[in-house]
Amino acid sequence: MSTLGSTPWQADIARAIIDELKHKPGALLPILHAIQDRFAHIPEEAVALIAPALRLSRAEVHGVISFYHHFRTRAPGRHVVEVCRAEACQAQGSRALEAHAKAALGIDYHDTSADRAVTLEPVYCLGNCACGPSVRVGDEIHARMTPARFDALIERLRTDTLEVK
Amino acid sequence: MATRIYVPSDTTAKALGADRLAQRIAALAARQGLELEIVRNGTRGLYWLEPLLEVDTAQGRVGFGPVEEQDLESLFDAEFWQGDVTHPLALGLVEEIPYLRRQQRFTFARAGITDPLSLDDYRAHGGYRGLPNALAMAAQQIVDEVRESGLRGRGGAAFPTGIKWQTVLDAPADQKYIVCNADEGDSGTFADRLVMECDPFMLIEGMTIAGLAVGATQGYIYLRSEYPLAQKNLNAAIATAYANNLLGDDIQGSGKRFDLEVRMGAGAYICGEETSLLESLEGKRGLVRAKPPLPAIVGLFGKPTVVNNVLSLAAVPFILDRGAKAYADVGMGRSRGTLPFQLAGNVKQGGLVELAFGPSLRELMFDFGGGTRNGRPLRAVQVGGPLGAYLPESQWDTPLDYEAFAKVGAVLGHGGVVMFDDTVDMGEQARFSMEFCVAESCGKCTPCRIGSTRGVEVIDRIRAGENVEANLELLSDLCETMVDGSLCAMGGMTPFPVQSAMTHFGEDFVKNTSNAQALAQEV
């Protein structure tokens, strides 16, 4: 899957996800993952359903969501582009790539481009450290990224309005 | 009979176009009416040669690499499937490539050779030989075997695995757990990922043996969310293991039980710290716990728990198959067995290098790595992840051994080696270490949470030329406070890269100031 799940919010689907997972020991992270995988983010409405199902306060659920970089509470663009900021990629020029990515998209990290095509996120290591700089889009990793290849990638993502693969 | 062609399928090979390559080879073969059987193997970890195409021949597997899509036409023209042909990308027998031949592959014996998801392949190449031995042994015997192997935790802390297991075995409880720490967050490391993507049954077998050894019936693999392919392969392999009675309530008819589940992390570096990881598995914020009590006594859900790194657990099938002595026979001093090193960053021949402890860092970086990728002089090397020291050339002859590294104020950690050329600004690297700690601190203790923020600020002041001398002293003092006062290694080791940068590359901190030269003398 190269794009994230983007099902519009439906409480029934969320309830089914929660019911299926809530009996697992330590169920909160698996539930949050499943919700975000489905709806691309964890909307406020989901927190209201999760908290009572796990006998937690909404504040506790919020506390967990906000602790982890992976979870987001706002809907992202059609594609989430993660640029690796870690040392092995730095040694291969990722600082210049980061600056280029922000300038080319006209946004900072955690923001979404005006056309809603791309949300830019930093990531600390994709485990592709012998062939950096690395960029992740959905479940695909791109190696030896250069500013020129980044522009080509963004162009492809922008014109790719349909969910493919 | 169809000729067998191998096209690697790990994350890096895919990131370099291996999937598209496999599709194109199939299409070209069909067009020419050739019978080629394409197998998606893992990877040998020779990353500068990826995508590394291999052809099965009577003499062994012959390689071509690195292969790009535009090379396929000439490869087909040269009839590469015949193996021994002339082509600019021909590498000869893969096993004879010096980079691979000179390694001691204990843990990575199968990586890149087998289809990662084929249980038959795993068995045909020495897999599931340790488990039957363990099933025939008493729990104490298994623990003894692991202790005698000298295996130490491969996550970085290097604590003897056998002693940890003994503690859990001796702790009476109605439920115990095996937790695999697969939150491989250190930059420059990918050995855990390779195990999970390329040889997942080895980890499953190792965890099952650990369960038998300490009396745990439930295992969890805590996997970082940055590794989607590892998740897919682990889940597929676990399903196969259940279907073949290698997991579940009656393993191989022994009446013994072990269940295993993959749980996903969510992008928090701190969750690689074992107590933070346990909190996260319990569905909470990953706040570090104070120790004692040790997780071996009060671990997951308050029960005795073995928390081991992927590589520690992956070494166990070998030890139970070949015996403790075979493992302990190689190595140096108290560092027994092998460590899979990972060459990363600005390196010409990056990849996985599994070696017995003992060779020098320089040998690893030059004899295997071949120096920098862009040919510029190598200047600094960070070993052991973002909390590891930067080593200057004067320390490159340090032998790869836990104690030898500790002696020079460095760590081997998880074996990641990140190389930087002479364009690196070490002041900027030091700043990043503090910045990373700001982003990743769990926030429980003050030296880590606040110290890192102050660290970024004071480094910025130094680099801007503000009261340089006084601020350098302040930074030294802050580093000491963080080392001595932090609850865990996050705050306690963040100063290591900073201090090493100040000690060995002090001139970089002041190079932007007007009187840089004068100050550099004082640093």
Side-chain angles (χ1 to χ4, degrees):
Chain A
M1 194 172 74
S2 72
T3 49
L4 288 155
S6 49
T7 309
W9 170 252
Q10 287 177 54
D12 287 348
I13 293 177
R15 265 191 214 103
I17 288 171
I18 295 165
D19 282 344
E20 193 196 325
L21 296 172
K22 70 178 180 190
H23 302 292
K24 279 179 178 286
L28 184 51
L29 262 71
I31 288 174
L32 294 175
H33 272 295
I35 296 278
Q36 182 162 304
D37 286 349
R38 191 63 183 255
F39 302 109
H41 70 299
I42 302 167
E44 182 58 40
E45 295 92 322
V47 177
L49 297 178
I50 295 166
L54 296 183
R55 292 187 198 146
L56 296 170
S57 70
R58 284 164 70 160
E60 284 171 304
V61 177
H62 268 300
V64 171
I65 293 170
S66 62
F67 184 86
Y68 296 95
H69 301 304
H70 179 78
F71 296 132
R72 64 173 70 87
T73 51
R74 283 185 302 160
R78 288 199 312 278
H79 303 276
V80 175
V81 174
E82 296 172 277
V83 180
C84 180
R85 294 197 66 201
E87 290 88 344
C89 284
Q90 290 167 9
Q92 285 289 79
S94 67
R95 282 200 178 90
L97 180 68
E98 284 181 76
H100 175 83
K102 289 177 186 177
L105 291 166
I107 54 175
D108 205 340
Y109 282 130
H110 315 299
D111 289 341
T112 301
S113 59
D115 61 359
R116 304 286 306 162
V118 171
T119 296
L120 191 67
E121 295 284 352
V123 64
Y124 294 98
C125 198
L126 296 165
N128 183 44
C129 315
C131 301
S134 309
V135 167
R136 176 179 176 179
V137 184
D139 282 352
E140 273 178 25
I141 314 289
H142 299 263
R144 291 179 190 144
M145 187 57 70
T146 60
R149 292 190 56 218
F150 185 84
D151 290 344
L153 173 68
I154 295 299
E155 189 53 36
R156 194 155 58 77
L157 296 178
R158 280 200 155 128
T159 50
D160 165 30
T161 49
L162 298 169
E163 266 193 49
V164 286
K165 281 201 279 185
Chain B
M1 210 177 87
T3 305
R4 195 173 288 167
I5 309 291
Y6 294 87
V7 184
S9 66
D10 89 304
T11 291
T12 293
K14 281 172 181 276
L16 293 166
D19 286 349
R20 175 91 183 133
L21 212 57
Q23 285 171 11
R24 293 292 300 147
I25 292 169
L28 287 166
R31 193 187 303 163
Q32 299 192 18
L34 294 168
E35 272 196 74
L36 299 184
E37 179 198 353
I38 297 171
V39 176
R40 300 305 299 271
N41 57 333
T43 176
R44 306 268 191 170
L46 278 55
Y47 277 144
W48 85 100
L49 294 176
E50 292 287 2
L52 169 59
L53 219 63
E54 295 183 43
V55 180
D56 230 354
T57 74
Q59 288 72 43
R61 279 157 67 166
V62 168
F64 299 87
V67 179
E68 293 187 39
E69 215 177 312
Q70 61 264 31
D71 300 317
L72 286 180
E73 201 184 318
S74 66
L75 280 165
F76 272 84
D77 286 347
E79 303 192 345
F80 77 99
W81 61 86
Q82 310 271 12
D84 185 21
V85 301
T86 307
H87 189 278
L89 298 179
L91 300 163
L93 290 171
V94 175
E95 309 263 343
E96 293 301 317
I97 297 173
Y99 194 94
L100 191 56
R101 199 187 62 230
R102 292 170 52 206
Q103 298 190 31
Q104 280 155 296
R105 291 220 163 170
F106 285 16
T107 299
F108 287 88
R110 276 172 300 270
I113 295 175
T114 55
D115 168 353
L117 299 180
S118 164
L119 181 57
D120 290 340
D121 269 12
Y122 182 65
R123 285 195 157 122
H125 290 84
Y128 276 121
R129 285 189 200 159
L131 180 64
N133 293 340
L135 283 167
M137 291 158 83
Q140 185 62 57
Q141 283 178 291
I142 305 173
V143 174
D144 289 345
E145 200 69 23
V146 170
R147 196 184 55 236
E148 282 159 24
S149 74
L151 178 65
R152 293 164 70 181
R154 295 290 187 249
F159 187 81
T161 305
I163 293 176
K164 193 182 272 186
W165 287 21
Q166 186 71 55
T167 310
V168 178
L169 173 61
D170 292 342
D174 54 351
Q175 176 72 57
K176 300 179 188 178
Y177 296 100
I178 306 295
V179 170
C180 172
N181 184 345
D183 194 45
E184 185 176 50
D186 288 355
S187 177
T189 65
F190 41 78
D192 293 352
R193 176 176 68 70
L194 287 190
V195 166
M196 298 183 284
E197 290 180 356
C198 304
D199 206 7
F201 289 109
M202 175 171 56
L203 179 58
I204 296 169
E205 185 182 0
M207 290 186 72
T208 309
I209 293 168
L212 296 172
V214 304
T217 55
Q218 176 68 51
Y220 290 103
I221 298 171
Y222 184 88
L223 176 65
R224 63 200 303 261
S225 56
E226 292 84 351
Y227 283 0
L229 182 60
Q231 179 188 16
K232 189 167 149 258
N233 284 7
L234 280 172
N235 280 327
I238 287 171
T240 302
Y242 269 107
N244 287 274
N245 220 14
L246 292 157
L247 285 172
D249 53 16
D250 185 20
I251 295 168
Q252 300 296 290
S254 65
K256 289 176 178 157
R257 175 186 192 97
F258 190 70
D259 289 302
L260 185 54
E261 188 184 332
V262 177
R263 284 290 178 92
M264 299 308 287
Y269 178 78
I270 191 61
C271 289
E273 195 282 335
E274 62 178 0
T275 63
S276 163
L277 185 157
L278 294 175
E279 289 286 302
S280 184
L281 263 182
E282 291 181 6
K284 303 172 192 162
R285 293 163 71 90
L287 292 186
V288 171
R289 297 177 185 170
K291 290 192 274 193
L294 295 171
I297 311 282
V298 182
L300 186 61
F301 303 114
K303 303 293 183 185
T305 303
V306 168
V307 186
N308 277 153
N309 175 254
V310 172
L311 296 179
S312 313
L313 291 161
V316 168
F318 177 96
I319 293 164
L320 267 289
D321 172 24
R322 310 269 288 273
K325 192 171 175 304
Y327 195 78
D329 271 350
V330 304
M332 154 178 186
R334 287 172 50 224
S335 304
R336 309 312 310 173
T338 61
L339 185 64
F341 295 96
Q342 299 124 83
L343 283 171
N346 192 343
V347 56
K348 192 170 166 203
Q349 301 183 154
L352 182 98
V353 183
E354 183 174 357
L355 293 176
F357 292 92
S360 72
L361 178 61
R362 191 187 294 275
E363 285 174 71
L364 181 64
M365 296 193 297
F366 289 94
D367 295 359
F368 285 93
T372 59
R373 181 170 156 82
N374 59 2
R376 294 190 69 94
L378 183 67
R379 179 153 182 254
V381 190
Q382 188 176 33
V383 182
L387 309 180
Y390 284 97
L391 283 76
E393 182 163 9
S394 61
Q395 295 181 334
W396 296 348
D397 292 310
T398 309
L400 298 163
D401 159 66
Y402 292 124
E403 277 69 37
F405 262 62
K407 231 179 260 172
V408 298
V411 292
L412 271 188
H414 190 52
V417 176
V418 179
M419 294 159 56
F420 291 81
D421 70 19
D422 61 349
T423 62
V424 67
D425 177 343
M426 294 304 294
E428 195 169 29
Q429 294 310 118
R431 183 191 194 277
F432 178 80
S433 298
M434 287 292 188
E435 192 190 345
F436 182 69
C437 188
V438 172
E440 300 299 327
S441 171
C442 84
K444 184 160 178 167
C445 74
T446 314
C448 177
R449 184 185 68 245
I450 306 291
S452 53
T453 300
R454 296 289 97 88
V456 172
E457 293 165 359
V458 74
I459 292 173
D460 280 346
R461 278 188 219 115
I462 294 166
R463 297 181 73 217
E466 251 178 72
N467 295 328
V468 173
E469 230 174 304
N471 277 317
L472 279 170
E473 202 181 315
L474 189 63
L475 181 58
S476 297
D477 191 55
L478 175 69
C479 284
E480 270 176 49
T481 304
M482 288 177 72
V483 170
D484 295 337
S486 298
L487 191 55
C488 81
M490 180 85 224
M493 288 172 64
T494 286
F496 289 2
V498 179
Q499 290 168 320
S500 60
M502 289 168 77
T503 307
H504 305 297
F505 306 96
E507 66 275 17
D508 284 20
F509 285 71
V510 294
K511 69 179 177 189
N512 296 327
T513 64
S514 51
N515 53 346
Q517 210 151 17
L519 288 161
Q521 310 272 316
E522 295 168 29
V523 170

